[in-house]
Amino acid sequence: MARPLQSTMQEVPLTIADIFRRGQSLFRGSQVVTFDGGTSRRADFAEVTERVTRLAAGLRYLGVKPGDRVGTFCWNHQEHLEAYFAVPLLGAVLHTLNVRLSPAQLAYVINSGGDRVVIVDAGLTPLLAAIRSQLTTVETVVVVGRADTSGLGVVFDYNELIKGSAPLREWPVLDERQPAAMCHTTGTTGDPRGVVYSHRSIWLHSLATVANFALNENDRIGLMVPMFHVNGWGKPYAAFMCGADLLLPERFLQPHPLLSFVVAERPNVVVGVPTIFQGLLMAARAAEVELDFVRLGICGGAAVPTTLMQAYQPWFPLIQAWGMTETSPLGMVSFPPRGVVEGDSSYWHYRSKTGRPVAGVALRITGDSGTPLPWDGKTVGEVEVRGPWVASSYLGGAGRERFRDGWLLTGDVGTVDELGYVQITDRTKDIIKSGGEWISSIELEDALLAHPAVLDAAVVGIPDERWGERPLAVLAFRPGHSADPEDLRQFLTGKVPSFWLPESWAVVAAIPKSSVGKQDKKAIRQLQAEGRLEVRRLVRVEAVWADRLRVPKGRR
Ligand code: AMP
């Protein structure tokens, strides 16, 4: 009997070493630019890759072996990028640490990661020193820049380590499935959970990033997301894969310094969360600067307000993407479907969607019992994903309930239409359940942000005796603007079902934000519960519900 046909293809491991070698050999002239708040310093890939080989040798001298974890407690700069390569190339695991975690969470994350070495920015050493005595696994601290190092234990200077080390010539052989990097979730609902990426998952995610945004050697990527947030959304590796320049704003993500960096360096691709784009927009408008040298904005990490995308449209498309720490993060992108162009009536309908799954990521929505729900654009369920760069578990087996039959339960709730466009309407933990119906906080916020006086909006559910929960709208107004809640209710009327109209309103100077710049709804709910928000109630809830029965049900 004939033998079954075999593939005749080679099996080549997909590793970060391969991405590194591309940058080292094919794109020697591409640049890494680091902002220092005033000027920029620059190095080409030739120099950066040479330093990586020295850093790897230096880390090996410090005793780092394959499988060891090396933490980075750093902002966005060249040295952080060097660690992105040196650590995994040694077979060790890069553990990026969120610089905005609370001391207790930071100690927890470093200990549960088991970091042996931590590379830290000089400006962040006090945060590390404050918890140093609680760190059970850290042996050595490497400081980038000049700092008071008292309280840090054994300390090396980053640049001295590089200068004193000859380039590493013998690299370990890497298995594509071995761990390369690790990132903890932001832990807004409990202890942060560790997600461990493999060389293979990072290689495939990099290729997906390059492909979906058509990144290439002529691009200059302005990385306005912290490199401690999901591997800088994979852009550092993607840049090395395709030869794009990387423009790193260090810690200067505030609107005005960021704008001056952007104007000076003219990235043509910019990447960030909505809050960052909101700040950049205000600064650009105030300075009457045109950002028309940008070809593409990539915005995600939280729902992107339609008004924000529209405000950028004269300059460039600010495209919405969706992802999570658990998905490396790229999962969905919202380009309009074929044939739909600007000016068409459905253009903004599609642009406002959360996105369609990218190739490699499978997606479904499920009901309470886990049964798959139809893609009809109406039925609401929990989004589940799977794919080669999607987590199948958490470090140490935490959070098993988030995984089912090979799918990751994202905790995001939404609809999928016939073309596969997802609309996330809430996090499961943020959804407002009122009288048995669901109210989408994201849709309410999007509608509120269309009001000219509203700068930022967050809607949370608050307990209500009769309906279980009702929405509370918390607003921050534009400087010099304000609006009466009655008028805002009027403004919302007709745009959302009438039983969604909030009767409770509060105004704050700024919406509380999480460690990665997203709305912190837990903090908002806490402010409300502790009576620290001045809440204005407009009408009796019962009156709002008078026409409730006429509203089509949001969920079946
Ligand atoms: P993180 O792991 O910190 O990156 O957070 C992931 C979560 O951010 C997702 O589960 C979503 O709730 C939220 N998120 C990311 N992108 C979007 C988006 N485009 N629209 C709505 N929510 C988003």
Side-chain angles (χ1 to χ4, degrees), residues 185-186 229-230 233 299-304 320-326 329 354 402 410-412 424 426-427 442 516 518:
T185 59
T186 39
H229 189 215
V230 211
W233 295 6
C299 191
V304 186
Q320 173 151 212
W322 172 97
M324 311 172 69
T325 306
E326 294 85 337
T354 307
R402 297 287 298 274
T410 64
D412 285 344
I424 300 290
D426 253 310
R427 295 283 296 157
I442 291 181
V516 286
K518 308 184 192 189

PDB file of all heavy atoms in Angstrom, residues 185-186 229-230 233 299-304 320-326 329 354 402 410-412 424 426-427 442 516 518, ligand 1:
ATOM      1  N   THR A 185      -1.020  40.673  33.609  1.00  0.00           N
ATOM      2  CA  THR A 185      -2.199  41.494  33.344  1.00  0.00           C
ATOM      3  C   THR A 185      -2.218  42.623  34.367  1.00  0.00           C
ATOM      4  O   THR A 185      -1.539  42.538  35.401  1.00  0.00           O
ATOM      5  CB  THR A 185      -3.497  40.664  33.483  1.00  0.00           C
ATOM      6  OG1 THR A 185      -3.542  40.148  34.820  1.00  0.00           O
ATOM      7  CG2 THR A 185      -3.524  39.497  32.509  1.00  0.00           C
ATOM      8  N   THR A 186      -3.018  43.668  34.086  1.00  0.00           N
ATOM      9  CA  THR A 186      -2.975  44.829  34.975  1.00  0.00           C
ATOM     10  C   THR A 186      -3.665  44.562  36.308  1.00  0.00           C
ATOM     11  O   THR A 186      -3.526  45.341  37.242  1.00  0.00           O
ATOM     12  CB  THR A 186      -3.580  46.062  34.288  1.00  0.00           C
ATOM     13  OG1 THR A 186      -4.709  45.642  33.539  1.00  0.00           O
ATOM     14  CG2 THR A 186      -2.585  46.721  33.391  1.00  0.00           C
ATOM     15  N   HIS A 229       3.625  47.312  28.437  1.00  0.00           N
ATOM     16  CA  HIS A 229       2.254  46.855  28.191  1.00  0.00           C
ATOM     17  C   HIS A 229       2.239  45.911  26.989  1.00  0.00           C
ATOM     18  O   HIS A 229       2.369  46.337  25.843  1.00  0.00           O
ATOM     19  CB  HIS A 229       1.316  48.053  27.956  1.00  0.00           C
ATOM     20  CG  HIS A 229      -0.131  47.645  27.924  1.00  0.00           C
ATOM     21  ND1 HIS A 229      -1.067  48.226  27.118  1.00  0.00           N
ATOM     22  CD2 HIS A 229      -0.800  46.680  28.603  1.00  0.00           C
ATOM     23  CE1 HIS A 229      -2.243  47.662  27.303  1.00  0.00           C
ATOM     24  NE2 HIS A 229      -2.101  46.718  28.203  1.00  0.00           N
ATOM     25  N   VAL A 230       2.076  44.625  27.265  1.00  0.00           N
ATOM     26  CA  VAL A 230       2.018  43.567  26.245  1.00  0.00           C
ATOM     27  C   VAL A 230       3.116  43.739  25.186  1.00  0.00           C
ATOM     28  O   VAL A 230       2.838  43.882  23.986  1.00  0.00           O
ATOM     29  CB  VAL A 230       0.650  43.499  25.539  1.00  0.00           C
ATOM     30  CG1 VAL A 230       0.382  42.047  25.122  1.00  0.00           C
ATOM     31  CG2 VAL A 230      -0.483  44.017  26.369  1.00  0.00           C
ATOM     32  N   TRP A 233       2.905  46.156  22.469  1.00  0.00           N
ATOM     33  CA  TRP A 233       1.965  45.700  21.436  1.00  0.00           C
ATOM     34  C   TRP A 233       2.693  45.009  20.262  1.00  0.00           C
ATOM     35  O   TRP A 233       2.231  45.028  19.123  1.00  0.00           O
ATOM     36  CB  TRP A 233       1.086  46.856  20.915  1.00  0.00           C
ATOM     37  CG  TRP A 233       0.172  47.416  21.964  1.00  0.00           C
ATOM     38  CD1 TRP A 233       0.124  47.098  23.293  1.00  0.00           C
ATOM     39  CD2 TRP A 233      -0.833  48.424  21.791  1.00  0.00           C
ATOM     40  NE1 TRP A 233      -0.847  47.831  23.930  1.00  0.00           N
ATOM     41  CE2 TRP A 233      -1.433  48.653  23.040  1.00  0.00           C
ATOM     42  CE3 TRP A 233      -1.275  49.160  20.683  1.00  0.00           C
ATOM     43  CZ2 TRP A 233      -2.453  49.572  23.220  1.00  0.00           C
ATOM     44  CZ3 TRP A 233      -2.285  50.081  20.857  1.00  0.00           C
ATOM     45  CH2 TRP A 233      -2.865  50.283  22.117  1.00  0.00           C
ATOM     46  N   CYS A 299      -4.998  52.385  17.266  1.00  0.00           N
ATOM     47  CA  CYS A 299      -5.500  52.760  18.583  1.00  0.00           C
ATOM     48  C   CYS A 299      -6.285  51.585  19.166  1.00  0.00           C
ATOM     49  O   CYS A 299      -7.117  50.975  18.476  1.00  0.00           O
ATOM     50  CB  CYS A 299      -6.398  53.991  18.448  1.00  0.00           C
ATOM     51  SG  CYS A 299      -6.821  54.740  20.026  1.00  0.00           S
ATOM     52  N   GLY A 300      -6.047  51.259  20.412  1.00  0.00           N
ATOM     53  CA  GLY A 300      -6.762  50.148  21.039  1.00  0.00           C
ATOM     54  C   GLY A 300      -6.484  50.147  22.527  1.00  0.00           C
ATOM     55  O   GLY A 300      -6.052  51.150  23.090  1.00  0.00           O
ATOM     56  N   GLY A 301      -6.732  49.007  23.147  1.00  0.00           N
ATOM     57  CA  GLY A 301      -6.546  48.913  24.595  1.00  0.00           C
ATOM     58  C   GLY A 301      -7.814  49.292  25.334  1.00  0.00           C
ATOM     59  O   GLY A 301      -7.985  48.956  26.496  1.00  0.00           O
ATOM     60  N   ALA A 302      -8.686  50.013  24.664  1.00  0.00           N
ATOM     61  CA  ALA A 302      -9.994  50.398  25.202  1.00  0.00           C
ATOM     62  C   ALA A 302     -10.822  50.816  23.983  1.00  0.00           C
ATOM     63  O   ALA A 302     -10.261  51.057  22.908  1.00  0.00           O
ATOM     64  CB  ALA A 302      -9.861  51.565  26.171  1.00  0.00           C
ATOM     65  N   ALA A 303     -12.130  50.896  24.166  1.00  0.00           N
ATOM     66  CA  ALA A 303     -12.985  51.299  23.045  1.00  0.00           C
ATOM     67  C   ALA A 303     -12.531  52.668  22.531  1.00  0.00           C
ATOM     68  O   ALA A 303     -12.289  53.579  23.313  1.00  0.00           O
ATOM     69  CB  ALA A 303     -14.427  51.355  23.506  1.00  0.00           C
ATOM     70  N   VAL A 304     -12.406  52.800  21.222  1.00  0.00           N
ATOM     71  CA  VAL A 304     -11.948  54.061  20.640  1.00  0.00           C
ATOM     72  C   VAL A 304     -13.184  54.886  20.275  1.00  0.00           C
ATOM     73  O   VAL A 304     -13.988  54.449  19.433  1.00  0.00           O
ATOM     74  CB  VAL A 304     -11.085  53.809  19.387  1.00  0.00           C
ATOM     75  CG1 VAL A 304     -10.492  55.122  18.881  1.00  0.00           C
ATOM     76  CG2 VAL A 304      -9.984  52.801  19.685  1.00  0.00           C
ATOM     77  N   GLN A 320      -9.087  51.381  14.702  1.00  0.00           N
ATOM     78  CA  GLN A 320      -9.308  50.698  15.980  1.00  0.00           C
ATOM     79  C   GLN A 320      -8.799  49.251  15.923  1.00  0.00           C
ATOM     80  O   GLN A 320      -9.029  48.541  14.947  1.00  0.00           O
ATOM     81  CB  GLN A 320     -10.796  50.709  16.329  1.00  0.00           C
ATOM     82  CG  GLN A 320     -11.133  49.870  17.543  1.00  0.00           C
ATOM     83  CD  GLN A 320     -12.350  50.358  18.320  1.00  0.00           C
ATOM     84  OE1 GLN A 320     -12.417  50.210  19.512  1.00  0.00           O
ATOM     85  NE2 GLN A 320     -13.308  50.953  17.639  1.00  0.00           N
ATOM     86  N   ALA A 321      -8.101  48.864  16.978  1.00  0.00           N
ATOM     87  CA  ALA A 321      -7.665  47.467  17.099  1.00  0.00           C
ATOM     88  C   ALA A 321      -8.065  46.976  18.479  1.00  0.00           C
ATOM     89  O   ALA A 321      -8.288  47.777  19.387  1.00  0.00           O
ATOM     90  CB  ALA A 321      -6.164  47.353  16.909  1.00  0.00           C
ATOM     91  N   TRP A 322      -8.157  45.680  18.613  1.00  0.00           N
ATOM     92  CA  TRP A 322      -8.536  45.084  19.902  1.00  0.00           C
ATOM     93  C   TRP A 322      -7.501  44.045  20.274  1.00  0.00           C
ATOM     94  O   TRP A 322      -7.016  43.300  19.409  1.00  0.00           O
ATOM     95  CB  TRP A 322      -9.909  44.429  19.793  1.00  0.00           C
ATOM     96  CG  TRP A 322     -10.338  43.626  20.993  1.00  0.00           C
ATOM     97  CD1 TRP A 322     -11.131  44.033  22.019  1.00  0.00           C
ATOM     98  CD2 TRP A 322      -9.983  42.250  21.293  1.00  0.00           C
ATOM     99  NE1 TRP A 322     -11.287  43.016  22.935  1.00  0.00           N
ATOM    100  CE2 TRP A 322     -10.593  41.921  22.523  1.00  0.00           C
ATOM    101  CE3 TRP A 322      -9.194  41.292  20.652  1.00  0.00           C
ATOM    102  CZ2 TRP A 322     -10.465  40.665  23.102  1.00  0.00           C
ATOM    103  CZ3 TRP A 322      -9.045  40.038  21.244  1.00  0.00           C
ATOM    104  CH2 TRP A 322      -9.690  39.731  22.461  1.00  0.00           C
ATOM    105  N   GLY A 323      -7.209  43.987  21.552  1.00  0.00           N
ATOM    106  CA  GLY A 323      -6.316  42.935  22.001  1.00  0.00           C
ATOM    107  C   GLY A 323      -6.255  42.890  23.510  1.00  0.00           C
ATOM    108  O   GLY A 323      -6.842  43.719  24.208  1.00  0.00           O
ATOM    109  N   MET A 324      -5.527  41.921  24.012  1.00  0.00           N
ATOM    110  CA  MET A 324      -5.383  41.717  25.450  1.00  0.00           C
ATOM    111  C   MET A 324      -3.961  41.232  25.721  1.00  0.00           C
ATOM    112  O   MET A 324      -3.300  40.705  24.824  1.00  0.00           O
ATOM    113  CB  MET A 324      -6.310  40.596  25.951  1.00  0.00           C
ATOM    114  CG  MET A 324      -7.726  40.667  25.514  1.00  0.00           C
ATOM    115  SD  MET A 324      -8.604  39.154  25.990  1.00  0.00           S
ATOM    116  CE  MET A 324      -8.665  39.318  27.759  1.00  0.00           C
ATOM    117  N   THR A 325      -3.559  41.338  26.967  1.00  0.00           N
ATOM    118  CA  THR A 325      -2.286  40.741  27.378  1.00  0.00           C
ATOM    119  C   THR A 325      -2.270  39.268  26.943  1.00  0.00           C
ATOM    120  O   THR A 325      -1.261  38.758  26.461  1.00  0.00           O
ATOM    121  CB  THR A 325      -2.137  40.846  28.913  1.00  0.00           C
ATOM    122  OG1 THR A 325      -2.317  42.213  29.276  1.00  0.00           O
ATOM    123  CG2 THR A 325      -0.786  40.368  29.376  1.00  0.00           C
ATOM    124  N   GLU A 326      -3.403  38.615  27.085  1.00  0.00           N
ATOM    125  CA  GLU A 326      -3.508  37.179  26.789  1.00  0.00           C
ATOM    126  C   GLU A 326      -3.453  36.884  25.291  1.00  0.00           C
ATOM    127  O   GLU A 326      -3.338  35.728  24.889  1.00  0.00           O
ATOM    128  CB  GLU A 326      -4.834  36.624  27.342  1.00  0.00           C
ATOM    129  CG  GLU A 326      -4.959  36.623  28.850  1.00  0.00           C
ATOM    130  CD  GLU A 326      -5.454  37.946  29.428  1.00  0.00           C
ATOM    131  OE1 GLU A 326      -5.289  38.994  28.756  1.00  0.00           O
ATOM    132  OE2 GLU A 326      -5.992  37.941  30.549  1.00  0.00           O
ATOM    133  N   PRO A 329      -0.684  41.457  21.718  1.00  0.00           N
ATOM    134  CA  PRO A 329      -2.111  41.490  21.953  1.00  0.00           C
ATOM    135  C   PRO A 329      -2.995  41.405  20.696  1.00  0.00           C
ATOM    136  O   PRO A 329      -4.189  41.323  20.820  1.00  0.00           O
ATOM    137  CB  PRO A 329      -2.292  42.900  22.534  1.00  0.00           C
ATOM    138  CG  PRO A 329      -1.281  43.730  21.812  1.00  0.00           C
ATOM    139  CD  PRO A 329      -0.139  42.814  21.491  1.00  0.00           C
ATOM    140  N   THR A 354     -15.402  47.316  16.726  1.00  0.00           N
ATOM    141  CA  THR A 354     -14.171  46.948  17.426  1.00  0.00           C
ATOM    142  C   THR A 354     -13.185  46.315  16.468  1.00  0.00           C
ATOM    143  O   THR A 354     -11.979  46.538  16.564  1.00  0.00           O
ATOM    144  CB  THR A 354     -14.498  45.974  18.575  1.00  0.00           C
ATOM    145  OG1 THR A 354     -15.517  46.580  19.379  1.00  0.00           O
ATOM    146  CG2 THR A 354     -13.284  45.670  19.416  1.00  0.00           C
ATOM    147  N   ARG A 402     -11.021  30.826  32.952  1.00  0.00           N
ATOM    148  CA  ARG A 402     -10.987  31.652  31.740  1.00  0.00           C
ATOM    149  C   ARG A 402     -10.728  30.824  30.478  1.00  0.00           C
ATOM    150  O   ARG A 402     -10.701  31.373  29.376  1.00  0.00           O
ATOM    151  CB  ARG A 402      -9.900  32.724  31.882  1.00  0.00           C
ATOM    152  CG  ARG A 402     -10.120  33.715  33.010  1.00  0.00           C
ATOM    153  CD  ARG A 402     -11.237  34.701  32.670  1.00  0.00           C
ATOM    154  NE  ARG A 402     -10.926  35.495  31.511  1.00  0.00           N
ATOM    155  CZ  ARG A 402     -10.226  36.630  31.529  1.00  0.00           C
ATOM    156  NH1 ARG A 402      -9.774  37.083  32.671  1.00  0.00           N
ATOM    157  NH2 ARG A 402      -9.999  37.306  30.421  1.00  0.00           N
ATOM    158  N   THR A 410     -12.638  35.908  26.945  1.00  0.00           N
ATOM    159  CA  THR A 410     -11.964  37.206  27.041  1.00  0.00           C
ATOM    160  C   THR A 410     -12.511  38.072  28.159  1.00  0.00           C
ATOM    161  O   THR A 410     -11.869  39.034  28.566  1.00  0.00           O
ATOM    162  CB  THR A 410     -12.116  37.987  25.727  1.00  0.00           C
ATOM    163  OG1 THR A 410     -13.509  38.277  25.524  1.00  0.00           O
ATOM    164  CG2 THR A 410     -11.552  37.213  24.554  1.00  0.00           C
ATOM    165  N   GLY A 411     -13.749  37.787  28.611  1.00  0.00           N
ATOM    166  CA  GLY A 411     -14.369  38.697  29.584  1.00  0.00           C
ATOM    167  C   GLY A 411     -14.963  39.914  28.899  1.00  0.00           C
ATOM    168  O   GLY A 411     -15.488  40.803  29.560  1.00  0.00           O
ATOM    169  N   ASP A 412     -14.879  39.960  27.568  1.00  0.00           N
ATOM    170  CA  ASP A 412     -15.512  41.045  26.807  1.00  0.00           C
ATOM    171  C   ASP A 412     -16.826  40.546  26.233  1.00  0.00           C
ATOM    172  O   ASP A 412     -16.935  39.402  25.794  1.00  0.00           O
ATOM    173  CB  ASP A 412     -14.610  41.495  25.652  1.00  0.00           C
ATOM    174  CG  ASP A 412     -13.437  42.320  26.144  1.00  0.00           C
ATOM    175  OD1 ASP A 412     -13.484  42.796  27.292  1.00  0.00           O
ATOM    176  OD2 ASP A 412     -12.477  42.479  25.385  1.00  0.00           O
ATOM    177  N   ILE A 424     -17.623  45.303  20.663  1.00  0.00           N
ATOM    178  CA  ILE A 424     -17.558  45.052  22.106  1.00  0.00           C
ATOM    179  C   ILE A 424     -18.463  46.082  22.779  1.00  0.00           C
ATOM    180  O   ILE A 424     -18.333  47.287  22.535  1.00  0.00           O
ATOM    181  CB  ILE A 424     -16.117  45.221  22.641  1.00  0.00           C
ATOM    182  CG1 ILE A 424     -15.148  44.257  21.957  1.00  0.00           C
ATOM    183  CG2 ILE A 424     -16.079  45.041  24.164  1.00  0.00           C
ATOM    184  CD1 ILE A 424     -15.307  42.817  22.305  1.00  0.00           C
ATOM    185  N   ASP A 426     -19.107  45.812  26.297  1.00  0.00           N
ATOM    186  CA  ASP A 426     -18.706  45.928  27.702  1.00  0.00           C
ATOM    187  C   ASP A 426     -17.711  44.856  28.087  1.00  0.00           C
ATOM    188  O   ASP A 426     -17.508  43.891  27.370  1.00  0.00           O
ATOM    189  CB  ASP A 426     -19.920  45.796  28.639  1.00  0.00           C
ATOM    190  CG  ASP A 426     -20.291  47.133  29.246  1.00  0.00           C
ATOM    191  OD1 ASP A 426     -19.376  47.776  29.759  1.00  0.00           O
ATOM    192  OD2 ASP A 426     -21.461  47.518  29.175  1.00  0.00           O
ATOM    193  N   ARG A 427     -17.118  45.052  29.272  1.00  0.00           N
ATOM    194  CA  ARG A 427     -16.456  43.947  29.953  1.00  0.00           C
ATOM    195  C   ARG A 427     -17.552  43.240  30.743  1.00  0.00           C
ATOM    196  O   ARG A 427     -18.505  43.891  31.200  1.00  0.00           O
ATOM    197  CB  ARG A 427     -15.431  44.473  30.974  1.00  0.00           C
ATOM    198  CG  ARG A 427     -14.277  45.221  30.430  1.00  0.00           C
ATOM    199  CD  ARG A 427     -13.238  44.351  29.811  1.00  0.00           C
ATOM    200  NE  ARG A 427     -12.572  43.440  30.753  1.00  0.00           N
ATOM    201  CZ  ARG A 427     -11.970  42.310  30.373  1.00  0.00           C
ATOM    202  NH1 ARG A 427     -12.013  41.925  29.109  1.00  0.00           N
ATOM    203  NH2 ARG A 427     -11.349  41.550  31.248  1.00  0.00           N
ATOM    204  N   ILE A 442     -20.119  51.172  27.113  1.00  0.00           N
ATOM    205  CA  ILE A 442     -19.257  51.681  26.028  1.00  0.00           C
ATOM    206  C   ILE A 442     -20.072  52.494  25.029  1.00  0.00           C
ATOM    207  O   ILE A 442     -19.661  53.571  24.595  1.00  0.00           O
ATOM    208  CB  ILE A 442     -18.524  50.514  25.328  1.00  0.00           C
ATOM    209  CG1 ILE A 442     -17.495  49.915  26.282  1.00  0.00           C
ATOM    210  CG2 ILE A 442     -17.856  50.974  24.038  1.00  0.00           C
ATOM    211  CD1 ILE A 442     -16.673  48.775  25.715  1.00  0.00           C
ATOM    212  N   VAL A 516      -2.288  51.520  32.725  1.00  0.00           N
ATOM    213  CA  VAL A 516      -1.938  51.603  31.306  1.00  0.00           C
ATOM    214  C   VAL A 516      -2.836  52.600  30.578  1.00  0.00           C
ATOM    215  O   VAL A 516      -3.040  52.525  29.368  1.00  0.00           O
ATOM    216  CB  VAL A 516      -1.945  50.229  30.601  1.00  0.00           C
ATOM    217  CG1 VAL A 516      -0.732  49.423  31.006  1.00  0.00           C
ATOM    218  CG2 VAL A 516      -3.207  49.452  30.897  1.00  0.00           C
ATOM    219  N   LYS A 518      -6.116  53.288  30.824  1.00  0.00           N
ATOM    220  CA  LYS A 518      -7.528  53.025  30.507  1.00  0.00           C
ATOM    221  C   LYS A 518      -8.397  53.528  31.643  1.00  0.00           C
ATOM    222  O   LYS A 518      -7.926  53.683  32.770  1.00  0.00           O
ATOM    223  CB  LYS A 518      -7.759  51.528  30.347  1.00  0.00           C
ATOM    224  CG  LYS A 518      -6.807  50.881  29.377  1.00  0.00           C
ATOM    225  CD  LYS A 518      -7.199  49.438  29.227  1.00  0.00           C
ATOM    226  CE  LYS A 518      -6.111  48.670  28.513  1.00  0.00           C
ATOM    227  NZ  LYS A 518      -6.532  47.332  28.153  1.00  0.00           N
TER     228      LYS A 518
HETATM  229  P1  AMP B   1      -5.075  44.450  28.678  1.00  0.00           P
HETATM  230  O1  AMP B   1      -4.823  43.024  28.933  1.00  0.00           O
HETATM  231  O2  AMP B   1      -4.645  45.369  29.776  1.00  0.00           O
HETATM  232  O3  AMP B   1      -4.466  44.881  27.396  1.00  0.00           O
HETATM  233  O4  AMP B   1      -6.641  44.659  28.556  1.00  0.00           O
HETATM  234  C1  AMP B   1      -7.399  43.949  27.614  1.00  0.00           C
HETATM  235  C2  AMP B   1      -8.784  44.481  27.568  1.00  0.00           C
HETATM  236  O5  AMP B   1      -8.800  45.816  27.046  1.00  0.00           O
HETATM  237  C3  AMP B   1      -9.715  43.745  26.662  1.00  0.00           C
HETATM  238  O6  AMP B   1     -10.186  42.550  27.226  1.00  0.00           O
HETATM  239  C4  AMP B   1     -10.813  44.749  26.453  1.00  0.00           C
HETATM  240  O7  AMP B   1     -11.709  44.788  27.551  1.00  0.00           O
HETATM  241  C5  AMP B   1     -10.055  46.051  26.421  1.00  0.00           C
HETATM  242  N1  AMP B   1      -9.867  46.465  25.016  1.00  0.00           N
HETATM  243  C6  AMP B   1      -8.772  46.390  24.268  1.00  0.00           C
HETATM  244  N2  AMP B   1      -9.001  46.903  23.034  1.00  0.00           N
HETATM  245  C7  AMP B   1     -10.290  47.301  22.999  1.00  0.00           C
HETATM  246  C8  AMP B   1     -11.155  47.893  22.021  1.00  0.00           C
HETATM  247  N3  AMP B   1     -10.716  48.238  20.806  1.00  0.00           N
HETATM  248  N4  AMP B   1     -12.442  48.110  22.355  1.00  0.00           N
HETATM  249  C9  AMP B   1     -12.910  47.796  23.578  1.00  0.00           C
HETATM  250  N5  AMP B   1     -12.150  47.258  24.548  1.00  0.00           N
HETATM  251  C10 AMP B   1     -10.860  47.008  24.266  1.00  0.00           C
END
